[in-house]
Amino acid sequence: QLRASGIPVERIWRLDMRPRNDRRKSCYFKLERILSIHYENFTIAEVHDDDVEVLNAVHKYIPYTRLFLHTDEHVIELFRSRLW
């Protein structure tokens, strides 16, 4: 599916999927996974999501990460911050 959508799968380092028995709201699962990568001392350059609640939560913890909101028609960069 990823390749069919034009995503360069050879560049994907890690893909985390929610377990079937995880009934939390998606924003909690996504934030937990993103923060676990961050706390492993990896730099998270960008986060893309269709849920503004996820992006707001990421911004709270990792304010210099570039955040992109995907809608049916647009991709919008949120909270544009400068590192330097």
Side-chain angles (χ1 to χ4, degrees):
Q1 286 180 327
L2 296 173
R3 185 171 278 124
S5 298
I7 296 172
V9 294
E10 65 279 355
R11 296 187 64 200
I12 294 175
W13 162 74
R14 179 172 174 170
L15 181 63
D16 288 327
M17 303 295 289
R18 185 201 309 228
R20 289 182 184 222
N21 62 348
D22 190 331
R23 302 284 186 232
R24 295 176 289 166
K25 286 180 64 175
S26 66
C27 67
Y28 297 121
F29 171 78
K30 292 175 181 180
L31 181 62
E32 178 185 279
R33 300 310 308 143
I34 291 166
L35 290 178
S36 74
I37 295 167
H38 174 70
Y39 294 140
E40 290 175 30
N41 290 320
F42 290 101
T43 299
I44 299 175
E46 297 181 1
V47 174
H48 293 253
D49 206 281
D50 62 353
D51 185 345
V52 72
E53 189 174 2
V54 171
L55 300 173
N56 282 328
V58 171
H59 180 67
K60 179 179 176 181
Y61 291 95
I62 317 171
Y64 293 108
T65 297
R66 293 180 69 189
L67 305 171
F68 295 88
L69 177 65
H70 289 252
T71 69
D72 289 338
E73 300 171 0
H74 299 92
V75 177
I76 305 161
E77 185 172 4
L78 305 177
F79 306 116
R80 187 169 183 104
S81 298
R82 297 179 72 99
L83 289 173
W84 301 278

